[in-house]
Amino acid sequence: MSDHISKTPADNSDDLSRLYRAAPTAEPPAPLDAAIRAAARRELAAAIDSKPRFWHRWGTSLASAALLVLAVGVILQLQRETPTALTSAPAPERTATPQPATPEPELALEIAAPATKADTAVMATDAVVKQELRRRAVRDDAVADYQAQPGPKLSVEGKTANADRSRASVLSQGVIEERMSTAPAAATAAPGPIPQPQAIIPLDGRSALQRSEVKQKAATAEHDAITEFSAQSDRSASAEREPEPEPAASMTRKFARESAPDRPTPMSPATGAADLDARTAVIDDWLRRIEALLQARKLPQAEQQLRAFHQQYADYPLPKLQQRFGRQWVDDTLKPPSQ
Amino acid sequence: MRDESDEHLMLRYQQGDAGAFDILYQRHKGPLYRYLTRLLAHDQTAEEIYQDVWLRLIQARSRYQASASFRTYLFQIARNRALDHFRSQRRRPQLATHDPADTDELPDAQQLDVADLVHNHSCLARLLELVRDLPDAQRDVFLLKEEAGLSLQEIAALSTENVEAVKSRLRYAIAKLRTGLREFLT
């Protein structure tokens, strides 16, 4: 307590210090003590509550912002994951057109994930989707015409239900057609569940090419046969008259009657009755012209045409050829050169 | 906890220990209160400043550093508040300026034989009156020495004065007090 900075009596205040300490001491009032102590505790409590107070003030705002960010993220993610073919396709119109039965849900899910399919399957699916879009456009035109006509219309709810069924039908149909396009030919010969078989014809490019070649060769053979037949007809004017060949119409009916039970046909699985008739007519005409060449004694030309016919229609029943032109001649003509 | 240093207790209060503050307050409430009441010579003003000093200490607890003496820190706040009070009263503060009384001739004062005086209440009351009548700078130094227990060096650092000036003021204060108590020396 005392400072001994000087040894002089004037600097030594020990006596005064003792006397001063003996003087009555004063203390702050008790309420003042309590107020100061309470203030000290209040400040500590305020400091401890500062963090919860912050969350209480900003918690709602932060939670709302986080929820908004999460929602935007989910929407963006969904948009990113949705297949382009399906999202870019226009939504089906709410039409009153009758739709096929509602497909199975798993089929629709399969078309919704094309990335898991093989490349061929993806291409086939894309073709199916495009084809469906074209078909839908035609149907929309028909619906527009239908709605333009006076008369009772379906309610909005019915249209909505039909549209939903139409959308599901498109997905299901796409999967079915996709499977058919990748299935073996024997399996594709069976009649499919698609109610519009003409829509599948463009998918069978091989059959279309084959038909094109057949038509081209048939036209050539027909041209040759007609030429020969015309020449033969000119020459046979002075020759003895031979019996008239069987009419083409009756031949066509005969071949159609004979070949029908022996199906499966080698033609396209989706070939309809019109295509079958056209093919039968071409074959019948070709055989008729071979028959004419034989009757005209033009054996080299007849043999050439028979080999061409057999090469083109290898699946044509050989017994029928033998029955029509003679077993010996058919076997000799179609015998491989090495043998 | 009772033996802990003021600095450690203040650090504990800084970290949220209210009990440490109670100990600090119990240790320093009397000296600080007497310093202010006897320096300002006005009880109500002294109590207001006393409460304000403690509130400032509480609010500034996060800025306290243990490198400084807690007692010096506490009385530094109190002295600054007292100077502000003097300025607000348009009274020229005399705490940090040269006191004209310091130039007076130093009275011939001898040490007191206080063995009997400590029980003389009249002498003790007279001593307090003499302290109150000291010039502001001398009273400030005397109270800082007796109530706060600060050394001359600590008082010099706190008042931004040199040690010799502080010593001179203290010397004059002691001489005046002894002269005033001379009547009790018989």
Side-chain angles (χ1 to χ4, degrees), chain A residues 3 5 9 11-13 15 17 19-20 22 24 26 33 37 40-41, chain B residues 13 22 25-26 29 34 38 111-112 145-147 152 167 171 174 178:
Chain A
D3 273 326
I5 61 175
D11 297 331
N12 191 349
S13 62
D15 54 339
S17 295
L19 194 62
Y20 182 80
D33 288 345
R37 287 189 168 113
R41 283 172 167 76
Chain B
Y13 175 64
D22 290 340
Y25 183 77
Q26 191 64 32
K29 67 174 186 177
R34 289 189 292 271
R38 291 169 181 173
Q111 283 201 355
L112 302 175
K145 179 180 178 296
E146 296 298 332
E147 292 293 346
L152 295 178
K167 186 172 67 174
R171 183 181 301 165
I174 291 172
R178 283 176 177 164

PDB file of all heavy atoms in Angstrom, chain A residues 3 5 9 11-13 15 17 19-20 22 24 26 33 37 40-41, chain B residues 13 22 25-26 29 34 38 111-112 145-147 152 167 171 174 178:
ATOM      1  N   ASP A   3       4.005   3.737  -0.438  1.00  0.00           N
ATOM      2  CA  ASP A   3       5.114   3.953  -1.355  1.00  0.00           C
ATOM      3  C   ASP A   3       6.277   4.533  -0.571  1.00  0.00           C
ATOM      4  O   ASP A   3       6.135   5.535   0.120  1.00  0.00           O
ATOM      5  CB  ASP A   3       4.711   4.951  -2.437  1.00  0.00           C
ATOM      6  CG  ASP A   3       4.047   4.232  -3.588  1.00  0.00           C
ATOM      7  OD1 ASP A   3       4.448   3.090  -3.862  1.00  0.00           O
ATOM      8  OD2 ASP A   3       3.143   4.821  -4.191  1.00  0.00           O
ATOM      9  N   ILE A   5       9.045   5.913  -1.812  1.00  0.00           N
ATOM     10  CA  ILE A   5       9.865   6.524  -2.852  1.00  0.00           C
ATOM     11  C   ILE A   5      10.817   7.567  -2.269  1.00  0.00           C
ATOM     12  O   ILE A   5      11.709   8.026  -2.941  1.00  0.00           O
ATOM     13  CB  ILE A   5       8.966   7.177  -3.916  1.00  0.00           C
ATOM     14  CG1 ILE A   5       8.117   8.273  -3.256  1.00  0.00           C
ATOM     15  CG2 ILE A   5       8.115   6.134  -4.607  1.00  0.00           C
ATOM     16  CD1 ILE A   5       7.270   9.055  -4.247  1.00  0.00           C
ATOM     17  N   PRO A   9      10.479  12.295   5.948  1.00  0.00           N
ATOM     18  CA  PRO A   9       9.238  12.094   6.688  1.00  0.00           C
ATOM     19  C   PRO A   9       8.034  12.600   5.935  1.00  0.00           C
ATOM     20  O   PRO A   9       6.935  12.059   6.086  1.00  0.00           O
ATOM     21  CB  PRO A   9       9.466  12.917   7.963  1.00  0.00           C
ATOM     22  CG  PRO A   9      10.937  12.998   8.114  1.00  0.00           C
ATOM     23  CD  PRO A   9      11.483  13.057   6.723  1.00  0.00           C
ATOM     24  N   ASP A  11       7.413  12.257   2.814  1.00  0.00           N
ATOM     25  CA  ASP A  11       6.978  11.278   1.821  1.00  0.00           C
ATOM     26  C   ASP A  11       6.434  10.013   2.473  1.00  0.00           C
ATOM     27  O   ASP A  11       5.792   9.202   1.801  1.00  0.00           O
ATOM     28  CB  ASP A  11       8.141  10.904   0.911  1.00  0.00           C
ATOM     29  CG  ASP A  11       8.636  12.094   0.120  1.00  0.00           C
ATOM     30  OD1 ASP A  11       7.804  12.998  -0.156  1.00  0.00           O
ATOM     31  OD2 ASP A  11       9.822  12.136  -0.211  1.00  0.00           O
ATOM     32  N   ASN A  12       6.664   9.798   3.688  1.00  0.00           N
ATOM     33  CA  ASN A  12       6.204   8.606   4.378  1.00  0.00           C
ATOM     34  C   ASN A  12       4.805   8.869   4.912  1.00  0.00           C
ATOM     35  O   ASN A  12       4.588   9.680   5.807  1.00  0.00           O
ATOM     36  CB  ASN A  12       7.149   8.267   5.534  1.00  0.00           C
ATOM     37  CG  ASN A  12       6.856   6.889   6.087  1.00  0.00           C
ATOM     38  OD1 ASN A  12       5.833   6.287   5.742  1.00  0.00           O
ATOM     39  ND2 ASN A  12       7.728   6.390   6.939  1.00  0.00           N
ATOM     40  N   SER A  13       3.865   8.176   4.345  1.00  0.00           N
ATOM     41  CA  SER A  13       2.465   8.417   4.695  1.00  0.00           C
ATOM     42  C   SER A  13       1.863   7.247   5.442  1.00  0.00           C
ATOM     43  O   SER A  13       0.654   7.069   5.436  1.00  0.00           O
ATOM     44  CB  SER A  13       1.673   8.722   3.446  1.00  0.00           C
ATOM     45  OG  SER A  13       1.702   7.599   2.576  1.00  0.00           O
ATOM     46  N   ASP A  15       1.568   6.753   8.619  1.00  0.00           N
ATOM     47  CA  ASP A  15       0.707   7.159   9.698  1.00  0.00           C
ATOM     48  C   ASP A  15      -0.653   7.596   9.189  1.00  0.00           C
ATOM     49  O   ASP A  15      -1.700   7.248   9.742  1.00  0.00           O
ATOM     50  CB  ASP A  15       1.369   8.303  10.485  1.00  0.00           C
ATOM     51  CG  ASP A  15       1.771   9.469   9.595  1.00  0.00           C
ATOM     52  OD1 ASP A  15       1.909   9.247   8.351  1.00  0.00           O
ATOM     53  OD2 ASP A  15       1.904  10.598  10.081  1.00  0.00           O
ATOM     54  N   SER A  17      -1.984   6.735   6.385  1.00  0.00           N
ATOM     55  CA  SER A  17      -2.663   5.573   5.784  1.00  0.00           C
ATOM     56  C   SER A  17      -3.378   4.763   6.850  1.00  0.00           C
ATOM     57  O   SER A  17      -4.533   4.338   6.663  1.00  0.00           O
ATOM     58  CB  SER A  17      -1.646   4.700   5.057  1.00  0.00           C
ATOM     59  OG  SER A  17      -1.110   5.396   3.980  1.00  0.00           O
ATOM     60  N   LEU A  19      -4.418   5.903   9.703  1.00  0.00           N
ATOM     61  CA  LEU A  19      -5.524   6.701  10.201  1.00  0.00           C
ATOM     62  C   LEU A  19      -6.676   6.740   9.193  1.00  0.00           C
ATOM     63  O   LEU A  19      -7.850   6.692   9.561  1.00  0.00           O
ATOM     64  CB  LEU A  19      -5.015   8.124  10.506  1.00  0.00           C
ATOM     65  CG  LEU A  19      -5.924   9.019  11.339  1.00  0.00           C
ATOM     66  CD1 LEU A  19      -6.140   8.412  12.752  1.00  0.00           C
ATOM     67  CD2 LEU A  19      -5.321  10.429  11.504  1.00  0.00           C
ATOM     68  N   TYR A  20      -6.334   6.821   7.899  1.00  0.00           N
ATOM     69  CA  TYR A  20      -7.377   6.866   6.864  1.00  0.00           C
ATOM     70  C   TYR A  20      -8.157   5.560   6.830  1.00  0.00           C
ATOM     71  O   TYR A  20      -9.385   5.562   6.674  1.00  0.00           O
ATOM     72  CB  TYR A  20      -6.741   7.152   5.500  1.00  0.00           C
ATOM     73  CG  TYR A  20      -7.737   7.262   4.372  1.00  0.00           C
ATOM     74  CD1 TYR A  20      -8.463   8.428   4.164  1.00  0.00           C
ATOM     75  CD2 TYR A  20      -7.968   6.180   3.515  1.00  0.00           C
ATOM     76  CE1 TYR A  20      -9.391   8.523   3.135  1.00  0.00           C
ATOM     77  CE2 TYR A  20      -8.883   6.267   2.489  1.00  0.00           C
ATOM     78  CZ  TYR A  20      -9.598   7.424   2.292  1.00  0.00           C
ATOM     79  OH  TYR A  20     -10.519   7.518   1.283  1.00  0.00           O
ATOM     80  N   ALA A  22      -8.683   3.651   9.245  1.00  0.00           N
ATOM     81  CA  ALA A  22      -9.496   3.555  10.453  1.00  0.00           C
ATOM     82  C   ALA A  22     -10.754   4.402  10.365  1.00  0.00           C
ATOM     83  O   ALA A  22     -11.671   4.247  11.182  1.00  0.00           O
ATOM     84  CB  ALA A  22      -8.677   3.981  11.696  1.00  0.00           C
ATOM     85  N   PRO A  24     -14.356   5.820   9.012  1.00  0.00           N
ATOM     86  CA  PRO A  24     -15.556   5.066   8.608  1.00  0.00           C
ATOM     87  C   PRO A  24     -15.544   4.778   7.116  1.00  0.00           C
ATOM     88  O   PRO A  24     -15.264   5.647   6.294  1.00  0.00           O
ATOM     89  CB  PRO A  24     -16.696   5.990   8.986  1.00  0.00           C
ATOM     90  CG  PRO A  24     -16.126   6.923   9.985  1.00  0.00           C
ATOM     91  CD  PRO A  24     -14.676   7.079   9.664  1.00  0.00           C
ATOM     92  N   ALA A  26     -17.294   3.610   3.657  1.00  0.00           N
ATOM     93  CA  ALA A  26     -18.591   3.732   2.982  1.00  0.00           C
ATOM     94  C   ALA A  26     -18.715   2.618   1.955  1.00  0.00           C
ATOM     95  O   ALA A  26     -17.756   2.270   1.263  1.00  0.00           O
ATOM     96  CB  ALA A  26     -18.702   5.102   2.320  1.00  0.00           C
ATOM     97  N   ASP A  33     -25.841  -2.425  -5.607  1.00  0.00           N
ATOM     98  CA  ASP A  33     -25.119  -3.686  -5.825  1.00  0.00           C
ATOM     99  C   ASP A  33     -25.955  -4.680  -6.638  1.00  0.00           C
ATOM    100  O   ASP A  33     -25.453  -5.310  -7.581  1.00  0.00           O
ATOM    101  CB  ASP A  33     -24.764  -4.305  -4.468  1.00  0.00           C
ATOM    102  CG  ASP A  33     -23.662  -3.533  -3.753  1.00  0.00           C
ATOM    103  OD1 ASP A  33     -22.998  -2.729  -4.423  1.00  0.00           O
ATOM    104  OD2 ASP A  33     -23.489  -3.768  -2.549  1.00  0.00           O
ATOM    105  N   ARG A  37     -25.063  -6.293 -10.346  1.00  0.00           N
ATOM    106  CA  ARG A  37     -24.932  -7.747 -10.533  1.00  0.00           C
ATOM    107  C   ARG A  37     -25.968  -8.267 -11.533  1.00  0.00           C
ATOM    108  O   ARG A  37     -25.672  -9.148 -12.349  1.00  0.00           O
ATOM    109  CB  ARG A  37     -25.083  -8.454  -9.190  1.00  0.00           C
ATOM    110  CG  ARG A  37     -23.864  -8.282  -8.284  1.00  0.00           C
ATOM    111  CD  ARG A  37     -23.980  -9.190  -7.067  1.00  0.00           C
ATOM    112  NE  ARG A  37     -22.748  -9.277  -6.310  1.00  0.00           N
ATOM    113  CZ  ARG A  37     -22.588  -8.793  -5.079  1.00  0.00           C
ATOM    114  NH1 ARG A  37     -23.595  -8.168  -4.478  1.00  0.00           N
ATOM    115  NH2 ARG A  37     -21.441  -8.940  -4.447  1.00  0.00           N
ATOM    116  N   ALA A  40     -24.815  -7.514 -14.939  1.00  0.00           N
ATOM    117  CA  ALA A  40     -23.758  -8.421 -15.397  1.00  0.00           C
ATOM    118  C   ALA A  40     -24.334  -9.740 -15.889  1.00  0.00           C
ATOM    119  O   ALA A  40     -23.925 -10.264 -16.943  1.00  0.00           O
ATOM    120  CB  ALA A  40     -22.768  -8.665 -14.257  1.00  0.00           C
ATOM    121  N   ARG A  41     -25.300 -10.296 -15.198  1.00  0.00           N
ATOM    122  CA  ARG A  41     -25.922 -11.556 -15.624  1.00  0.00           C
ATOM    123  C   ARG A  41     -26.789 -11.364 -16.868  1.00  0.00           C
ATOM    124  O   ARG A  41     -26.871 -12.248 -17.722  1.00  0.00           O
ATOM    125  CB  ARG A  41     -26.756 -12.119 -14.474  1.00  0.00           C
ATOM    126  CG  ARG A  41     -25.910 -12.775 -13.401  1.00  0.00           C
ATOM    127  CD  ARG A  41     -26.723 -13.150 -12.177  1.00  0.00           C
ATOM    128  NE  ARG A  41     -25.986 -14.045 -11.300  1.00  0.00           N
ATOM    129  CZ  ARG A  41     -25.008 -13.655 -10.507  1.00  0.00           C
ATOM    130  NH1 ARG A  41     -24.657 -12.367 -10.490  1.00  0.00           N
ATOM    131  NH2 ARG A  41     -24.370 -14.534  -9.745  1.00  0.00           N
TER     132      ARG A  41
ATOM    133  N   TYR B  13     -15.210 -14.304 -16.417  1.00  0.00           N
ATOM    134  CA  TYR B  13     -16.473 -13.596 -16.693  1.00  0.00           C
ATOM    135  C   TYR B  13     -16.606 -13.297 -18.192  1.00  0.00           C
ATOM    136  O   TYR B  13     -17.697 -13.367 -18.761  1.00  0.00           O
ATOM    137  CB  TYR B  13     -16.522 -12.299 -15.898  1.00  0.00           C
ATOM    138  CG  TYR B  13     -17.732 -11.465 -16.237  1.00  0.00           C
ATOM    139  CD1 TYR B  13     -19.017 -11.927 -15.962  1.00  0.00           C
ATOM    140  CD2 TYR B  13     -17.593 -10.223 -16.849  1.00  0.00           C
ATOM    141  CE1 TYR B  13     -20.126 -11.167 -16.268  1.00  0.00           C
ATOM    142  CE2 TYR B  13     -18.703  -9.463 -17.170  1.00  0.00           C
ATOM    143  CZ  TYR B  13     -19.966  -9.940 -16.870  1.00  0.00           C
ATOM    144  OH  TYR B  13     -21.075  -9.196 -17.190  1.00  0.00           O
ATOM    145  N   ASP B  22     -19.116 -11.694  -9.664  1.00  0.00           N
ATOM    146  CA  ASP B  22     -19.533 -11.408  -8.297  1.00  0.00           C
ATOM    147  C   ASP B  22     -18.319 -11.264  -7.385  1.00  0.00           C
ATOM    148  O   ASP B  22     -18.289 -10.392  -6.498  1.00  0.00           O
ATOM    149  CB  ASP B  22     -20.437 -12.526  -7.793  1.00  0.00           C
ATOM    150  CG  ASP B  22     -21.785 -12.520  -8.491  1.00  0.00           C
ATOM    151  OD1 ASP B  22     -22.151 -11.462  -9.059  1.00  0.00           O
ATOM    152  OD2 ASP B  22     -22.467 -13.572  -8.491  1.00  0.00           O
ATOM    153  N   TYR B  25     -16.614  -7.988  -8.155  1.00  0.00           N
ATOM    154  CA  TYR B  25     -17.396  -6.858  -7.658  1.00  0.00           C
ATOM    155  C   TYR B  25     -17.253  -6.741  -6.141  1.00  0.00           C
ATOM    156  O   TYR B  25     -17.115  -5.629  -5.592  1.00  0.00           O
ATOM    157  CB  TYR B  25     -18.857  -7.044  -8.032  1.00  0.00           C
ATOM    158  CG  TYR B  25     -19.719  -5.882  -7.609  1.00  0.00           C
ATOM    159  CD1 TYR B  25     -19.711  -4.694  -8.341  1.00  0.00           C
ATOM    160  CD2 TYR B  25     -20.534  -5.971  -6.487  1.00  0.00           C
ATOM    161  CE1 TYR B  25     -20.500  -3.616  -7.945  1.00  0.00           C
ATOM    162  CE2 TYR B  25     -21.328  -4.910  -6.095  1.00  0.00           C
ATOM    163  CZ  TYR B  25     -21.307  -3.738  -6.834  1.00  0.00           C
ATOM    164  OH  TYR B  25     -22.083  -2.668  -6.438  1.00  0.00           O
ATOM    165  N   GLN B  26     -17.254  -7.890  -5.483  1.00  0.00           N
ATOM    166  CA  GLN B  26     -17.121  -7.868  -4.029  1.00  0.00           C
ATOM    167  C   GLN B  26     -15.761  -7.325  -3.608  1.00  0.00           C
ATOM    168  O   GLN B  26     -15.645  -6.640  -2.585  1.00  0.00           O
ATOM    169  CB  GLN B  26     -17.315  -9.283  -3.485  1.00  0.00           C
ATOM    170  CG  GLN B  26     -17.473  -9.344  -1.975  1.00  0.00           C
ATOM    171  CD  GLN B  26     -18.747  -8.628  -1.510  1.00  0.00           C
ATOM    172  OE1 GLN B  26     -19.757  -8.600  -2.219  1.00  0.00           O
ATOM    173  NE2 GLN B  26     -18.679  -8.031  -0.298  1.00  0.00           N
ATOM    174  N   LYS B  29     -15.807  -3.165  -4.928  1.00  0.00           N
ATOM    175  CA  LYS B  29     -16.932  -2.241  -4.869  1.00  0.00           C
ATOM    176  C   LYS B  29     -16.696  -1.128  -3.836  1.00  0.00           C
ATOM    177  O   LYS B  29     -16.995   0.039  -4.084  1.00  0.00           O
ATOM    178  CB  LYS B  29     -18.219  -2.982  -4.535  1.00  0.00           C
ATOM    179  CG  LYS B  29     -18.281  -3.583  -3.141  1.00  0.00           C
ATOM    180  CD  LYS B  29     -19.670  -4.170  -2.862  1.00  0.00           C
ATOM    181  CE  LYS B  29     -19.773  -4.625  -1.414  1.00  0.00           C
ATOM    182  NZ  LYS B  29     -21.131  -5.135  -1.104  1.00  0.00           N
ATOM    183  N   ARG B  34     -15.768   4.502  -2.639  1.00  0.00           N
ATOM    184  CA  ARG B  34     -15.192   5.557  -1.806  1.00  0.00           C
ATOM    185  C   ARG B  34     -14.332   6.498  -2.620  1.00  0.00           C
ATOM    186  O   ARG B  34     -14.299   7.710  -2.371  1.00  0.00           O
ATOM    187  CB  ARG B  34     -14.369   4.930  -0.678  1.00  0.00           C
ATOM    188  CG  ARG B  34     -15.211   4.250   0.378  1.00  0.00           C
ATOM    189  CD  ARG B  34     -14.373   3.833   1.563  1.00  0.00           C
ATOM    190  NE  ARG B  34     -13.428   2.764   1.250  1.00  0.00           N
ATOM    191  CZ  ARG B  34     -13.749   1.464   1.362  1.00  0.00           C
ATOM    192  NH1 ARG B  34     -14.960   1.079   1.729  1.00  0.00           N
ATOM    193  NH2 ARG B  34     -12.843   0.548   1.099  1.00  0.00           N
ATOM    194  N   ARG B  38     -15.519  10.333  -2.554  1.00  0.00           N
ATOM    195  CA  ARG B  38     -14.630  11.302  -1.912  1.00  0.00           C
ATOM    196  C   ARG B  38     -13.928  12.188  -2.940  1.00  0.00           C
ATOM    197  O   ARG B  38     -13.522  13.308  -2.612  1.00  0.00           O
ATOM    198  CB  ARG B  38     -13.625  10.578  -1.025  1.00  0.00           C
ATOM    199  CG  ARG B  38     -14.312   9.965   0.185  1.00  0.00           C
ATOM    200  CD  ARG B  38     -13.452   9.028   0.974  1.00  0.00           C
ATOM    201  NE  ARG B  38     -14.243   8.475   2.103  1.00  0.00           N
ATOM    202  CZ  ARG B  38     -13.813   7.514   2.900  1.00  0.00           C
ATOM    203  NH1 ARG B  38     -12.602   6.978   2.711  1.00  0.00           N
ATOM    204  NH2 ARG B  38     -14.574   7.077   3.888  1.00  0.00           N
ATOM    205  N   GLN B 111       5.362  13.180  11.311  1.00  0.00           N
ATOM    206  CA  GLN B 111       4.511  11.980  11.312  1.00  0.00           C
ATOM    207  C   GLN B 111       3.659  11.981  12.575  1.00  0.00           C
ATOM    208  O   GLN B 111       4.069  12.433  13.653  1.00  0.00           O
ATOM    209  CB  GLN B 111       5.386  10.728  11.256  1.00  0.00           C
ATOM    210  CG  GLN B 111       5.935  10.448   9.872  1.00  0.00           C
ATOM    211  CD  GLN B 111       6.348   8.991   9.727  1.00  0.00           C
ATOM    212  OE1 GLN B 111       6.314   8.214  10.685  1.00  0.00           O
ATOM    213  NE2 GLN B 111       6.736   8.632   8.522  1.00  0.00           N
ATOM    214  N   LEU B 112       2.479  11.429  12.446  1.00  0.00           N
ATOM    215  CA  LEU B 112       1.516  11.405  13.527  1.00  0.00           C
ATOM    216  C   LEU B 112       1.649  10.120  14.321  1.00  0.00           C
ATOM    217  O   LEU B 112       1.960   9.061  13.770  1.00  0.00           O
ATOM    218  CB  LEU B 112       0.093  11.525  12.978  1.00  0.00           C
ATOM    219  CG  LEU B 112      -0.202  12.761  12.139  1.00  0.00           C
ATOM    220  CD1 LEU B 112      -1.625  12.669  11.556  1.00  0.00           C
ATOM    221  CD2 LEU B 112      -0.056  14.028  12.987  1.00  0.00           C
ATOM    222  N   LYS B 145      -3.964   6.290  -4.268  1.00  0.00           N
ATOM    223  CA  LYS B 145      -2.976   5.550  -3.470  1.00  0.00           C
ATOM    224  C   LYS B 145      -3.651   4.802  -2.329  1.00  0.00           C
ATOM    225  O   LYS B 145      -3.361   3.626  -2.080  1.00  0.00           O
ATOM    226  CB  LYS B 145      -1.930   6.523  -2.931  1.00  0.00           C
ATOM    227  CG  LYS B 145      -0.870   5.878  -2.060  1.00  0.00           C
ATOM    228  CD  LYS B 145       0.130   6.893  -1.565  1.00  0.00           C
ATOM    229  CE  LYS B 145       1.161   6.218  -0.648  1.00  0.00           C
ATOM    230  NZ  LYS B 145       0.557   5.678   0.581  1.00  0.00           N
ATOM    231  N   GLU B 146      -4.567   5.438  -1.610  1.00  0.00           N
ATOM    232  CA  GLU B 146      -5.146   4.831  -0.426  1.00  0.00           C
ATOM    233  C   GLU B 146      -6.307   3.882  -0.751  1.00  0.00           C
ATOM    234  O   GLU B 146      -6.408   2.827  -0.135  1.00  0.00           O
ATOM    235  CB  GLU B 146      -5.635   5.931   0.522  1.00  0.00           C
ATOM    236  CG  GLU B 146      -4.535   6.813   1.066  1.00  0.00           C
ATOM    237  CD  GLU B 146      -3.536   6.031   1.883  1.00  0.00           C
ATOM    238  OE1 GLU B 146      -3.914   4.991   2.479  1.00  0.00           O
ATOM    239  OE2 GLU B 146      -2.339   6.427   1.909  1.00  0.00           O
ATOM    240  N   GLU B 147      -7.128   4.227  -1.679  1.00  0.00           N
ATOM    241  CA  GLU B 147      -8.294   3.380  -1.966  1.00  0.00           C
ATOM    242  C   GLU B 147      -7.969   2.306  -3.005  1.00  0.00           C
ATOM    243  O   GLU B 147      -8.309   1.146  -2.809  1.00  0.00           O
ATOM    244  CB  GLU B 147      -9.459   4.245  -2.457  1.00  0.00           C
ATOM    245  CG  GLU B 147     -10.037   5.169  -1.390  1.00  0.00           C
ATOM    246  CD  GLU B 147     -10.722   4.391  -0.261  1.00  0.00           C
ATOM    247  OE1 GLU B 147     -10.983   3.180  -0.414  1.00  0.00           O
ATOM    248  OE2 GLU B 147     -11.013   4.991   0.798  1.00  0.00           O
ATOM    249  N   LEU B 152       2.995   4.767  -7.050  1.00  0.00           N
ATOM    250  CA  LEU B 152       3.192   6.041  -7.740  1.00  0.00           C
ATOM    251  C   LEU B 152       3.384   5.833  -9.238  1.00  0.00           C
ATOM    252  O   LEU B 152       2.930   6.636 -10.048  1.00  0.00           O
ATOM    253  CB  LEU B 152       4.394   6.778  -7.133  1.00  0.00           C
ATOM    254  CG  LEU B 152       4.230   7.223  -5.664  1.00  0.00           C
ATOM    255  CD1 LEU B 152       5.508   7.905  -5.149  1.00  0.00           C
ATOM    256  CD2 LEU B 152       3.062   8.204  -5.533  1.00  0.00           C
ATOM    257  N   LYS B 167       4.457  12.240  -7.295  1.00  0.00           N
ATOM    258  CA  LYS B 167       5.070  12.211  -5.960  1.00  0.00           C
ATOM    259  C   LYS B 167       4.960  13.574  -5.273  1.00  0.00           C
ATOM    260  O   LYS B 167       4.694  13.673  -4.059  1.00  0.00           O
ATOM    261  CB  LYS B 167       6.539  11.820  -6.069  1.00  0.00           C
ATOM    262  CG  LYS B 167       7.203  11.625  -4.724  1.00  0.00           C
ATOM    263  CD  LYS B 167       8.595  11.042  -4.862  1.00  0.00           C
ATOM    264  CE  LYS B 167       9.540  12.044  -5.535  1.00  0.00           C
ATOM    265  NZ  LYS B 167      10.944  11.518  -5.526  1.00  0.00           N
ATOM    266  N   ARG B 171       3.030  14.369  -1.827  1.00  0.00           N
ATOM    267  CA  ARG B 171       3.744  14.957  -0.722  1.00  0.00           C
ATOM    268  C   ARG B 171       3.000  16.171  -0.162  1.00  0.00           C
ATOM    269  O   ARG B 171       2.850  16.325   1.064  1.00  0.00           O
ATOM    270  CB  ARG B 171       5.142  15.373  -1.189  1.00  0.00           C
ATOM    271  CG  ARG B 171       6.037  15.942  -0.088  1.00  0.00           C
ATOM    272  CD  ARG B 171       7.369  16.351  -0.650  1.00  0.00           C
ATOM    273  NE  ARG B 171       8.051  15.207  -1.267  1.00  0.00           N
ATOM    274  CZ  ARG B 171       9.097  15.344  -2.097  1.00  0.00           C
ATOM    275  NH1 ARG B 171       9.523  16.556  -2.447  1.00  0.00           N
ATOM    276  NH2 ARG B 171       9.688  14.292  -2.595  1.00  0.00           N
ATOM    277  N   ILE B 174      -0.122  14.982   1.772  1.00  0.00           N
ATOM    278  CA  ILE B 174       0.178  14.421   3.090  1.00  0.00           C
ATOM    279  C   ILE B 174       0.496  15.550   4.079  1.00  0.00           C
ATOM    280  O   ILE B 174       0.038  15.550   5.241  1.00  0.00           O
ATOM    281  CB  ILE B 174       1.342  13.426   2.975  1.00  0.00           C
ATOM    282  CG1 ILE B 174       0.883  12.191   2.211  1.00  0.00           C
ATOM    283  CG2 ILE B 174       1.866  13.054   4.363  1.00  0.00           C
ATOM    284  CD1 ILE B 174       2.028  11.226   1.888  1.00  0.00           C
ATOM    285  N   ARG B 178      -1.573  16.323   7.525  1.00  0.00           N
ATOM    286  CA  ARG B 178      -0.924  16.307   8.817  1.00  0.00           C
ATOM    287  C   ARG B 178      -1.098  17.676   9.527  1.00  0.00           C
ATOM    288  O   ARG B 178      -1.324  17.736  10.746  1.00  0.00           O
ATOM    289  CB  ARG B 178       0.566  16.004   8.667  1.00  0.00           C
ATOM    290  CG  ARG B 178       0.837  14.542   8.409  1.00  0.00           C
ATOM    291  CD  ARG B 178       2.306  14.292   8.167  1.00  0.00           C
ATOM    292  NE  ARG B 178       2.585  12.862   7.979  1.00  0.00           N
ATOM    293  CZ  ARG B 178       3.704  12.405   7.453  1.00  0.00           C
ATOM    294  NH1 ARG B 178       4.652  13.274   7.037  1.00  0.00           N
ATOM    295  NH2 ARG B 178       3.906  11.116   7.340  1.00  0.00           N
TER     296      ARG B 178
END
